[in-house]
C-alpha cells in the first residue's frame, strides 16, 4: 500500500490508477459499513480523476504532474472541497457545499492525487466521539469495538483498513498523532505555518496544524 510501490507499478504500466481506484472502492463498500470512516464516498469523481491519471501515465506525462499521480486519498471532512459537501461531522454544516477547494487539497490535486471521499471526525474536530450526530463515529480498523482516537478518526480508520492510501488530518491537541498511534499508522504534525490552512474549518487559530497521515514516513514526506 505504500506510495513508492504503487507509483513504480503505475509508471511501469503494470498497475492502472483506474484498477487501483476500483479495487479501493470495492474495499470501501465491503468494510466501511463496519468502520464508519466515510461521511461521503466520491466514486464517480474518483474514477474520473483516475482515468485522467491513467491518460497522463500512458502519454508519458507523469513527470509533469507530481509525486502523487494516481494515488487515491481521503480528506478529513473539515477540508473544503468545491461542489462537494463539507460538514465537519456536524449538523451545523450538514448542507454546506463550498465553492472552492482548501489550499492543501488544491496542491495535492495538482500533484495528481485522487479523491475517494470525505472522512469522519469528531464534531468540528473537537471533543470526542458522539452517537447523536447525523453520522456515527468511526471505529478502530483493528477492532471495531475499540476507540480509534480523534479527531482525525475517519482518516485513521480508512487508512488502517486499506480503504485509502493516504489521508489528510489536522492536529490541534493530538488529532493526527493519537489516531495514528491507535491505528498503527504514521502521521506528521508539521511545523506551525508550514502547511496552508486556507479552506479548513478552524478549531483554534493559534494551535491548528494541517498534516498528512499514511503508512510510512516516506509517504508522509511525499
Amino acid at each position: 500500500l505504500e506510495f513508492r510501490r504503487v507509483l513504480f507499478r503505475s509508471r511501469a504500466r503494470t498497475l492502472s490508477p483506474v484498477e487501483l481506484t476500483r479495487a479501493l472502492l470495492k474495499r470501501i463498500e465491503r468494510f466501511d459499513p463496519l468502520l464508519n470512516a466515510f461521511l461521503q464516498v466520491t466514486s464517480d469523481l474518483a474514477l474520473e480523476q483516475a482515468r485522467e491519471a491513467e491518460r497522463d501515465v500512458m502519454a508519458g506525462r507523469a513527470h509533469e504532474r507530481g509525486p502523487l499521480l494516481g494515488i487515491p486519498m481521503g480528506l478529513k471532512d473539515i477540508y473544503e472541497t468545491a461542489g462537494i459537501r463539507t460538514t465537519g461531522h456536524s449538523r451545523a454544516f450538514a448542507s454546506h457545499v463550498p465553492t472552492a477547494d482548501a489550499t492543501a487539497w488544491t496542491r495535492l490535486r495538482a500533484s495528481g492525487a485522487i479523491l475517494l471521499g470525505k472522512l469522519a471526525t469528531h464534531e468540528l474536530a473537537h471533543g470526542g466521539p458522539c452517537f447523536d450526530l447525523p453520522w456515527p463515529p468511526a471505529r478502530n480498523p483493528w477492532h471495531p469495538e475499540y476507540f480509534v482516537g480523534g479527531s482525525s478518526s475517519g482518516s485513521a480508520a480508512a487508512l488502517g483498513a486499506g480503504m485509502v492510501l493516504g489521508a489528510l488530518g489536522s492536529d490541534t491537541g493530538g488529532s493526527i498523532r493519537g489516531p495514528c498511534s491507535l491505528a498503527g499508522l504514521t502521521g506528521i504534525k508539521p511545523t506551525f505555518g508550514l502547511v496552508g490552512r486556507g479552506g479548513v474549518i478552524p478549531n483554534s487559530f493559534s494551535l491548528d496544524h494541517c498534516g498528512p497521515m499514511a503508512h510510512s514516513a516516506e509517504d508522509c514526506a511525499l
Side-chain angles (χ1 to χ4, degrees):
L1 290 176
E2 292 189 10
F3 295 173
R4 174 169 47 85
R5 296 178 183 179
V6 172
L7 292 169
F8 175 81
R9 291 187 61 191
S10 176
R11 282 153 179 69
R13 301 180 184 179
T14 62
L15 175 64
S16 160
V18 176
E19 293 174 344
L20 176 61
T21 299
R22 284 178 175 155
L24 292 175
L25 288 170
K26 288 182 180 179
R27 194 166 176 85
I28 292 168
E29 184 178 355
R30 178 181 178 186
F31 289 110
D32 196 55
L34 301 174
L35 299 176
N36 305 321
F38 282 85
L39 300 186
Q40 183 174 359
V41 181
T42 53
S43 304
D44 292 342
L45 176 63
L47 288 170
E48 178 185 330
Q49 293 173 345
R51 293 185 190 102
E52 178 186 336
E54 183 176 77
R55 288 194 294 269
D56 285 336
V57 170
M58 297 303 292
R61 295 193 296 265
H63 65 285
E64 299 175 10
R65 293 297 303 273
L68 300 181
L69 180 63
I71 296 293
M73 304 183 70
L75 299 178
K76 182 177 182 176
D77 200 32
I78 62 171
Y79 286 83
E80 295 200 330
T81 41
I84 301 169
R85 189 182 63 193
T86 302
T87 70
H89 209 131
S90 173
R91 282 191 176 87
F93 287 84
S95 301
H96 174 53
V97 179
T99 58
D101 290 329
T103 300
W105 176 239
T106 298
R107 296 183 67 176
L108 285 175
R109 263 304 292 151
S111 188
I114 294 167
L115 180 62
L116 284 174
K118 309 298 290 292
L119 301 168
T121 177
H122 294 166
E123 186 171 17
L124 299 177
H126 191 76
C130 296
F131 293 86
D132 61 348
L133 297 176
W135 307 274
R139 303 284 187 167
N140 192 299
W142 297 101
H143 196 312
E145 294 182 9
Y146 287 5
F147 185 44
V148 72
S151 61
S152 302
S153 50
S155 299
L159 268 168
M163 295 188 284
V164 298
L165 301 192
L168 287 186
S170 66
D171 195 312
T172 302
S175 291
I176 288 176
R177 294 163 289 167
C180 282
S181 176
L182 293 175
L185 303 165
T186 301
I188 295 177
K189 175 189 175 186
T191 301
F192 187 76
L194 183 63
V195 180
R197 297 181 297 178
V200 180
I201 297 173
N203 191 344
S204 169
F205 174 79
S206 60
L207 296 172
D208 292 347
H209 298 68
C210 298
M213 299 168 64
H215 289 278
S216 69
E218 182 180 4
D219 285 359
C220 285
L222 287 170

